[in-house]
């Protein structure tokens, strides 16, 4: 099981502070507790079945979606509402305590990530880890993200779909 | 005579007032070696700026584009107090994570600047040794502004190779100060670290310009010619039947030595001379004998294939295990600079025959020879000997053998995990294990796998994955034949003049520069596709180094290289190959020329005014899609300091630092209008100075947006916006929601999108605003305030 | 705006090329006939987009069809003089239509429709509509527009004949129109985005030095956008007809260049020549030894009589700086009847590149044509002088006159002699009972009863 706790790209270990390894239960708990969550979705979500899962999860929890790269196009084709930002742009906004969030209702307190290219996601999470104490990050990829506050472990597709289903 | 000309009686010198002189004058010639000499050059405020001289400029830039940090590591492990965890706390020396990232940015830029500068110093001294310090710097009739960066930064016009030494010494001193600031217990403020990093970037450009200017003149490389020929590119262009000499690196001196030896001894048709990385670009500028294998992404696969009989390495971006890899295939290795000695014996002063004897008898694995001419003779003769002895075709395992080896794959998946791009190596290997090489071929195409070798190092079964990749390439040599335009060096002054009117009239929407290394997320064809898209849209596209080679390795739907399809003119739809890494200095170079040619801005000692001009007026944007080296970071920082934005590929996020504009903060975008003395509302143009995009689609749209500048004419703005809107629609399926920020008055609205744009303007309660006359981010001159 | 058109319409398609492989039909071109014509028609009452003759749906793949593109426009601010300006945009605007390629202009047009466009349901009437809409957007002074496409041979033939005569009348009129015939000139500030202290003055006899716009283009632009970069300058009072100096022009240029330039002579290189940003097609430069004017163009790569190439010379007079003896100009200005008239026009021109001279054959007075040397004949001042002598160029009179006045000018102990002096190769430079020459290092050199000869004296100005 140790293998699950090594970041997907093994050298993405950043330092002594490790993220919380979460199960869907803990993840649900985190989302419930949050007041202004945000769902940041990257280009891996252009493909099924992740696209479907994202749609269901966002709907269930009423999460506003930010799409990075050109994911916006795929989403708008299937009529899922989202706000497009570059991954570095949204991270830049999230780390600014003055930002009023995607809906103008106030800065977000929980940011859920999925589908962003691994290493740039890792970097973005590092920025938030160091410079955004006002929010928590949760990643629900099938990869373990070292720089998140909370992350799913490394899993194969079957296990992962199972987790997403439970979410 | 014209009223302003000189008559002898005007000459005031005492000499002429001697009594009793009867002067009869014949032909009076006013020495006009260059008309600019006649104008009194009033030195600007910052010739040879020190580390802090341009600090106020840096701070203004950083206020608009605050550093965005993405720490690569939470810890600092520089001194023995450490390692220190900087997550939410300070290190033992008191540094915090922010300053640490700034320090790392500075260190990266120092290393990059040093690499180019040291290379230039070696090159300069070698060339002076060869042709003398009085060798003139002359780019011909179409270029009057030679060495624009040196002119601006040093404040002098270099006329001979020897003149370049002044710039060199100045820059070496600055590099020393900058590196010193990385020591434990130096700078503590991240913005000041950034200011120094920008200074290091500027020094990098000074160094690069020295390098390219000196080699272009002393080695008679193309001097900005638009119609340079095409050279051969690709693994498939090498004639494997002949002895093959491979040069890897960046310094052209050894390569030139080899070419000279071949030509002097009439061995042209007998030896194949090829190169990987920038040295090959510069070799093809020197002679049409040389061939380009490709960029760094070709390194390991080509070495592994054993085609090269002799591998000559100089410096920068070379694999550290090149000796081991060369020896594996029976090739000899010659190291030629002090930067890469590889533990070899220094045989610089020994005879060629002795060295050859020792290598051929296997007493030594290779030799360090610091004399380019000797290298020439040694490499050629060695290659002849070695090629007869080796069975080149049998170096790589057979397909059968590879299949057997690949069948050992246990599907553990670790190769995928350690691959920087998480490529599906496992699938490729296991299907190869079943005799199907298709998936491996897909990874080979477009250098999607750039053979870094990490997978091979991780594989618990020790499968030689890199040999598999090399073999796949060897099996498909016919697909590996391409063309690249020879590097031409700087842009001609005349070309700049020619594009002045089309740019203001909107016919040319901007200039995009594709530079950088090959750490691509998804193969090298993405760079070519981006270049093609902008060429089709009438942009001017320039390229250099590995980027230029990647573009050459792409064939469009008609099987043509972009270099064959588009001309080499610096004009709309022109694809210009500037040359090697050091030729990147011509990118700020052309922007500086614009300032001098059109606005007659004094260059000497006038960095801030020139950079301010470029930032506000020149619609150019750099693109480094696969940056990996420290040099790339230094080049980007230097370019940024000159006021030109750069978009990086996703791996660029690992440089730890970007410069992202505070888009939402209107205050930061205000401009000082030097004409009216007023402070006016500006726009986020360019929105970011250093940006990292996640994929090609995002990058393409970002490039279009980053070409917008406050001084665009209405027509020019319309055209730039219609491309921005068009590409956003193409890749994102929507009109950009922030378009209202770039509409100053209704005349900026592109006619084909009028309805949609008006809708967005309405939704955002848009109001027209003033178009700046002379926008600047500099302070008003003291007497102007309050006018 | 283009919703009912089955193909895209956007500047993005401007560079689109349609080759034989994906060509559906060809219209006009070298194997057929065709023309485009824009005319002001005040009788126009309503918008109309129609095709007279066969439509695309009636044609077969590979057909080559005659093609007439007739555009009628009406608007309060429109006038006949602007027809040419507007018509010149037909090429670009047609190319905005995806699947339609337009080459050349006027009666040389050559167009193609792609198979993809045809398959998407594209028809020529859509082209008419798209082009009509684009014209209105681009030129808001067009209030009503009607676009008619002709594809029937006889009608196209007639149309082309009519178009050709309209072109000639237009060309003649625009050639004939002179500064005296109009009461507005135009100022252009387009290049201020690069060269903040420069303004061009555009008149019928002096087109813009970038070569891209003429008085008519400026007129159209100023009408559409009076507050824009191109604006009217009321001609007003003439200060000097010959040099081309006007009070209003001086005022305007002084204002718009922040006083950098206060006066300008439109037709002279002396005293207050017209400034430029740096994008001129050619430069006229004064050659003092010959008291003549040379011309060099942007594409000329060699040495000029001043001993410096174009790019160095160009550096002298860019950025809005007014430098006597240099002025940037367009190639078209060299065809103007007022070309450098204050300085003597072609009587004063003593050198220009060969290909430029050939292109101006009809504009250089016949008796002068062979007397002006080109780079093929001579490049150095001495060689040019010989050539001028051999061909009896009128400038020789000027040189003779000038030498006389020069001699009269000399007062003090320094005298100059012209080159005709009977001296050996070296002209004596100095004679003196004693000359002290300071030299560095504390050394002093004394010449006694010296006579110093020199082949030439070079006066170097200190930086």
């Amino acid at each position: 099981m140790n293998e699950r706790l090594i970041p997907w790209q093994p050298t993405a270990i950043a330092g002594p502070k490790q993220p919380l390894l979460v199960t869907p239960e803990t993840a649900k708990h985190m989302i419930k507790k949050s007041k202004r969550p945000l769902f940041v979705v990257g280009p891996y979500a252009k493909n099924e079945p992740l696209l479907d899962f994202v749609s269901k999860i966002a709907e269930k929890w009423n999460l506003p979606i930010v799409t990075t790269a050109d994911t916006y196009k795929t989403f708008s084709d299937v009529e899922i509402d989202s706000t497009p930002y570059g991954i570095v742009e949204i991270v830049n906004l999230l780390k600014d305590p003055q930002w009023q969030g995607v809906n103008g209702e106030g800065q977000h307190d929980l940011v859920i990530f999925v589908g962003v290219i691994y290493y740039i996601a890792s970097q973005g999470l590092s920025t938030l880890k160091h410079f955004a104490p006002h929010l928590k990050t949760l990643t629900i990829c099938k990869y373990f993200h070292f720089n998140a506050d909370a992350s799913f472990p490394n899993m194969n597709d079957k296990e992962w779909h199972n987790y997403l289903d439970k979410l | 005579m014209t009223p302003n000309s000189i008559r002898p009686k005007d000459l005031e010198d005492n000499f002429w007032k001697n009594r009793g002189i009867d002067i009869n004058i014949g032909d009076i010639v006013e020495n006009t070696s260059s008309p600019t000499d006649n104008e009194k050059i009033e030195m600007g405020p910052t010739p040879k700026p020190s580390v802090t001289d341009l600090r106020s400029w840096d701070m203004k830039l950083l206020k608009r584009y605050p550093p965005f940090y993405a720490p690569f590591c939470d810890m600092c492990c520089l001194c023995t107090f450490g390692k220190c965890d900087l997550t939410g706390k300070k290190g033992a020396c008191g540094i915090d994570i922010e300053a640490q990232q700034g320090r790392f940015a500075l260190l990266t830029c120092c290393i990059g600047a040093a690499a180019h500068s040291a290379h230039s110093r070696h090159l300069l001294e070698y060339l002076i040794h060869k042709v003398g310090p009085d060798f003139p710097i002359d780019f011909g009739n179409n270029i009057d502004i030679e060495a624009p960066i040196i002119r601006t930064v040093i404040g002098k016009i270099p006329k001979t190779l020897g003149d370049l030494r002044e710039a060199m010494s100045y820059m070496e001193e600055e590099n020393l100060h900058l590196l010193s600031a990385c020591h434990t217990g130096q700078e503590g403020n991240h913005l000041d670290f950034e200011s120094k990093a920008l200074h290091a970037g500027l020094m990098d450009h000074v160094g690069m310009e020295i390098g390219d200017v000196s080699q272009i003149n002393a080695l008679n490389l193309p001097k900005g010619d638009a119609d340079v020929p095409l050279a051969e590119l690709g693994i498939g262009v090498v004639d494997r039947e002949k002895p093959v000499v491979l040069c890897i690196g960046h310094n052209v001196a050894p390569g030139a030595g080899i070419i000279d030896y071949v030509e002097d001894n009439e061995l042209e048709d007998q030896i194949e001379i090829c190169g990987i990385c920038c040295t090959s670009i510069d070799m093809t500028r020197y002679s049409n004998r040389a061939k380009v294998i490709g960029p760094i992404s070709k390194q390991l696969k080509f070495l592994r294939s054993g085609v090269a009989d002799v591998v000559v390495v100089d410096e920068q971006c070379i694999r550290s295990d090149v000796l081991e890899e060369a020896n594996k295939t029976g090739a000899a290795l010659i190291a030629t600079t002090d930067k890469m000695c590889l533990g070899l014996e220094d045989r610089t002063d020994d005879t060629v025959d002795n060295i050859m004897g020792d290598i051929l008898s296997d007493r030594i694995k290779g030799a360090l020879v610091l004399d380019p001419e000797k290298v020439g003779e040694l490499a050629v003769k060695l290659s002849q000997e070695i090629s007869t002895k080796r069975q080149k075709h049998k170096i790589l395992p057979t397909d059968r053998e590879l299949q057997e080896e690949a069948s050992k794959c246990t599907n553990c998946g670790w190769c995928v995990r350690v691959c920087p791009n998480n490529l599906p190596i496992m699938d490729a290997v296991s299907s190869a294990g079943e005799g199907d090489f298709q998936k491996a071929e897909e990874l080979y195409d477009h250098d999607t796998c750039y053979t870094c070798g990490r997978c091979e190092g991780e594989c618990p079964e020790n499968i030689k994955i890199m040999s598999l990749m090399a073999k796949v390439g060897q099996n498909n040599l016919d697909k590996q034949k391409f063309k690249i335009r020879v590097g031409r060096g700087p842009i001609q002054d005349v070309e700049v003049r020619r594009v002045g009117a089309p740019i203001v009239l909107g016919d040319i929407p901007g200039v995009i520069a594709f530079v950088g290394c090959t750490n691509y997320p998804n193969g090298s064809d993405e760079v070519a596709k981006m270049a093609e898209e902008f060429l089709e849209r009438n942009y001017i596209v320039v390229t250099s180094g590995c980027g230029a080679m990647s573009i050459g390795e792409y064939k469009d739907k008609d099987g043509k290289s972009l270099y064959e399809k588009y001309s080499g003119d610096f004009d709309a739809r022109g694809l210009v190959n500037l040359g090697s890494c050091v030729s990147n200095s011509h990118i700020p170079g052309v922007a500086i020329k614009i300032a001098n040619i059109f606005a007659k801005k004094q260059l000497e000692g006038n960095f801030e005014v020139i950079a301010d001009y470029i930032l506000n007026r020149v619609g150019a944007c750099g693109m480094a899609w696969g940056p990996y080296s420290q040099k790339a970071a230094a080049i980007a920082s230097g370019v940024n300091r000159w006021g030109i934005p750069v978009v990086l590929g996703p791996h660029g996020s690992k440089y730890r630092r970007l410069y992202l504009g505070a888009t939402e903060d209107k205050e930061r975008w205000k401009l000082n209008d030097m004409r009216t003395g007023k402070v006016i509302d500006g726009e986020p143009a360019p929105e970011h100075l250093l940006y990292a995009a996640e994929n090609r689609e995002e990058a393409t749209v970002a490039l279009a947006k980053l070409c917008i500048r406050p001084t665009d004419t209405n027509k020019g703005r319309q055209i730039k916006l219609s491309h921005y809107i068009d590409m956003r629609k193409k890749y994102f399926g929507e009109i950009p929601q922030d378009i209202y920020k770039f509409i100053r008055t209704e005349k900026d609205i592109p006619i084909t999108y009028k309805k949609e744009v008006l809708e967005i303007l309405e939704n955002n309660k848009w109001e027209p605003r003033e178009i700046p006359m002379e926008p600047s981010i500099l302070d008003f001159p003291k007497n102007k305030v309050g006018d | 705006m283009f919703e009912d058109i089955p193909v895209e319409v956007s500047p993005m398609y401007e560079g689109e090329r349609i080759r034989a492989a994906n060509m559906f039909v060809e219209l006009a071109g070298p194997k057929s006939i065709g023309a485009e014509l824009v005319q002001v028609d005040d009788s126009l009452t309503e918008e109309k987009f129609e095709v007279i003759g066969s439509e695309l749906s009636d044609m077969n793949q590979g057909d080559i069809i005659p093609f007439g593109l007739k555009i009628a426009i009406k608007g309060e601010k429109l006038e006949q003089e602007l027809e040419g300006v507007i018509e010149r945009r037909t090429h670009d605007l047609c190319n905005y239509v995806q699947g339609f390629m337009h080459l050349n202009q006027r009666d040389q047009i050559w167009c193609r429709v792609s198979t993809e466009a045809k398959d998407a349901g594209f028809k020529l009437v859509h082209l008419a509509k798209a082009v009509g809409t684009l014209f209105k957007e681009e030129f808001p002074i067009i209030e009503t527009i009607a676009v008619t496409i002709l594809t029937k041979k006889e009608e196209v033939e007639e149309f082309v004949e009519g178009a050709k005569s309209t072109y000639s009348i237009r060309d003649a009129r625009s050639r004939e129109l002179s500064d005296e015939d109009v009461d507005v000139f135009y100022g252009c500030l387009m290049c201020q985005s690069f060269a903040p202290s420069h303004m061009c003055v555009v008149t019928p006899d002096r087109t813009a030095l970038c070569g891209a716009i003429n008085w008519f283009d400026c007129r159209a632009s100023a009408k559409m956008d009076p507050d824009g970069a191109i604006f009217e300058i009321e001609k007003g009072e003439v200060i000097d007809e010959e040099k081309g100096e006007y009070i209003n022009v001086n005022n305007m240029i002084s204002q718009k260049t922040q006083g950098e330039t206060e006066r300008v002579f439109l037709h002279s290189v002396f005293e207050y020549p017209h400034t430029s940003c740096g994008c001129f097609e050619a430069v006229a430069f004064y050659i003092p030894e010959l008291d003549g004017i040379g011309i060099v163009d942007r594409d000329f790569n060699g040495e000029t009589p001043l001993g410096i190439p174009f790019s160095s010379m160009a550096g002298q007079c860019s950025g809005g700086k007014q430098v006597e003896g240099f002025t940037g100009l367009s190639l078209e200005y060299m065809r103007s009847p007022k070309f450098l008239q204050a300085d003597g026009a072609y009587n004063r021109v003593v050198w220009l590149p060969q290909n430029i001279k050939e292109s101006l054959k009809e504009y250089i007075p016949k008796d002068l044509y062979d007397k002006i040397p080109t780079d093929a004949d001579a490049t150095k001042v001495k060689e040019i002088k010989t050539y001028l002598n051999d061909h009896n160029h009128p400038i020789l009179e000027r040189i003779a006159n000038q030498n006389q006045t020069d001699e009269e000018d000399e007062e003090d102990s320094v005298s100059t002699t012209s080159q005709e002096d009977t001296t050996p190769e070296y002209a004596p430079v100095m004679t003196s009972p004693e000359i002290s020459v300071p030299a560095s290092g504390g050394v002093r050199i004394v010449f006694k009863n010296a006579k110093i000869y020199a082949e030439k004296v070079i006066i170097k100005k200190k930086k």
Side-chain angles (χ1 to χ4, degrees), chain A residues 44-113:
Chain A
Y44 291 152
K46 291 197 281 186
N47 307 317
E48 292 293 2
L50 186 53
L51 176 56
D52 196 44
F53 279 118
V54 166
S55 169
K56 291 203 176 92
I57 293 171
E59 213 183 302
K60 171 171 172 189
W61 297 96
N62 200 14
L63 303 169
I65 302 179
V66 160
T67 42
T68 70
D70 63 340
T71 316
Y72 179 84
K73 182 151 194 269
T74 317
F75 272 45
S76 73
D77 284 345
V78 296
E79 292 180 4
I80 303 178
D81 235 355
S82 74
T83 318
Y85 278 111
I87 179 71
V88 300
E89 285 178 324
I90 185 64
V91 170
N92 201 21
L93 288 168
L94 285 169
K95 82 168 176 28
D96 177 6
Q98 307 295 332
W99 189 46
Q100 292 304 305
V102 281
N103 290 330
E105 292 163 2
Q107 181 59 286
H108 300 280
D109 54 354
L110 175 69
V111 187
I112 307 155
F113 287 88

Side-chain angles (χ1 to χ4, degrees), chain B residues 347-546:
Chain B
R347 303 289 216 112
T348 311
D349 298 323
D350 206 344
T351 64
V352 168
D353 286 328
N354 279 351
I355 309 172
M356 265 182 62
D358 282 344
I359 292 181
L360 291 170
S361 66
D362 241 4
R363 257 207 343 105
I364 50 177
K365 295 290 174 195
L368 175 64
V369 179
L370 298 168
D371 175 349
E373 273 131 35
K374 192 168 282 184
V375 167
E377 190 186 341
L378 177 61
V380 173
K381 284 187 171 164
L382 257 182
S383 69
Q384 288 170 311
E385 292 295 320
I386 293 180
S387 73
T388 53
K389 292 196 173 137
R390 295 191 314 161
Q391 294 266 37
K392 256 202 275 213
H393 310 289
K394 303 233 171 96
I395 298 213
L396 282 175
T398 62
D399 285 0
R400 195 71 230 244
E401 286 165 339
L402 282 168
Q403 182 188 334
E404 263 175 53
E405 183 157 332
S407 63
K408 291 189 280 174
C409 175
T410 58
N411 285 321
C412 68
W414 277 96
C415 50
V416 180
R417 289 179 72 165
V418 297
C419 172
N421 283 317
N422 299 136
L423 295 172
I425 311 273
M426 182 177 85
D427 287 344
V429 172
S430 56
S431 43
E434 285 155 19
D436 177 11
F437 287 67
Q438 169 76 10
K439 294 206 170 128
E441 279 171 30
E442 278 165 28
L443 288 178
Y444 188 90
D445 273 344
H446 306 297
D447 289 346
T448 307
C449 161
Y450 41 70
T451 51
C452 69
R454 284 208 322 212
C455 51
E456 192 178 79
E458 193 74 25
C459 179
E461 303 303 319
N462 281 320
I463 300 171
K464 298 279 165 283
I465 308 176
M466 293 295 100
S467 301
L468 171 63
M469 294 309 279
K471 192 72 203 289
V472 160
Q474 196 149 293
N475 289 345
N476 289 299
L477 284 177
D478 278 334
K479 277 173 42 176
Q480 300 289 321
K481 294 187 176 157
F482 308 101
K483 296 233 183 286
I484 182 175
R485 187 157 12 250
V486 165
R488 58 121 95 183
I491 308 300
Q492 299 168 28
D493 295 9
V494 180
E495 288 176 305
V496 172
R497 287 177 193 281
R498 240 180 249 134
V499 299
I503 288 184
V504 299
L505 293 171
D507 293 333
I508 296 180
V511 180
I512 313 276
F514 288 94
V515 305
C517 337
T518 50
N519 189 3
Y520 302 126
N522 216 0
S524 63
D525 54 334
E526 291 198 318
V527 180
K529 285 187 183 145
M530 283 192 275
E532 189 178 29
E533 174 137 35
F534 284 99
L535 284 164
E536 283 295 309
R537 287 169 182 275
N538 285 345
Y539 285 73
I540 299 175
V541 171
V542 305
T543 180
S544 68
C546 286

Side-chain angles (χ1 to χ4, degrees), chain B residues 649-777:
Chain B
H651 285 287
S653 58
K654 300 184 202 164
Y655 279 128
R656 303 164 179 77
R657 176 267 270 143
L658 300 171
Y659 292 131
L660 301 180
T663 318
E664 304 301 321
D665 184 355
K666 279 184 131 175
E667 284 303 305
R668 296 207 214 196
W669 297 103
K670 288 198 186 250
L671 293 163
N672 289 343
D673 193 331
M674 291 298 172
R675 177 82 61 92
T676 59
K678 291 199 276 181
V679 179
I680 54 172
D681 282 336
E683 56 198 346
E687 188 178 20
H688 303 298
L689 206 53
L690 189 62
Y691 184 79
E694 199 175 347
N695 66 8
R696 170 175 82 87
E697 290 78 2
E698 181 188 344
T700 309
V701 179
L703 283 171
K705 197 199 307 195
L706 292 174
C707 284
I708 299 173
R709 294 289 178 277
T711 54
D712 293 335
T713 58
N714 295 126
K715 191 74 199 298
R717 178 63 65 95
Q718 270 192 38
I719 295 291
K720 289 184 187 186
L721 290 181
S722 53
H723 287 294
Y724 173 40
I725 295 173
D726 221 56
M727 290 202 269
R728 182 90 185 177
K729 279 186 147 196
K730 179 172 167 190
Y731 293 117
F732 285 71
E734 60 147 18
I735 185 171
Q737 296 298 312
D738 64 352
I739 195 81
Y740 67 94
K741 294 184 187 160
F742 304 106
I743 308 283
R744 300 164 298 181
T745 73
E746 291 213 4
K747 294 179 247 168
D748 284 341
I749 303 176
I751 54 180
T752 45
Y753 296 107
K754 206 156 186 184
K755 212 170 91 182
E756 293 165 282
V757 172
L758 283 171
E759 212 181 299
I760 294 192
L761 294 184
E762 210 156 319
N763 292 345
N764 285 282
K765 299 195 182 36
W766 172 86
E767 297 254 337
R769 57 170 195 274
E770 235 177 297
I771 297 189
M773 309 246 74
E774 265 188 69
S776 167
I777 66 171

Side-chain angles (χ1 to χ4, degrees), chain B residues 1 7 9, chain C residues 291 397-411 416 418:
Chain B
M1 284 200 175
R7 294 161 186 257
K9 67 181 176 188
Chain C
D291 195 23
E397 289 162 26
R398 282 196 84 108
I399 299 180
N401 285 341
Q402 190 205 31
N403 282 338
Q404 275 193 331
T405 39
D406 261 359
E407 279 162 16
E408 285 159 24
D409 264 359
E410 294 311 308
E411 311 157 321
T416 54
S418 69

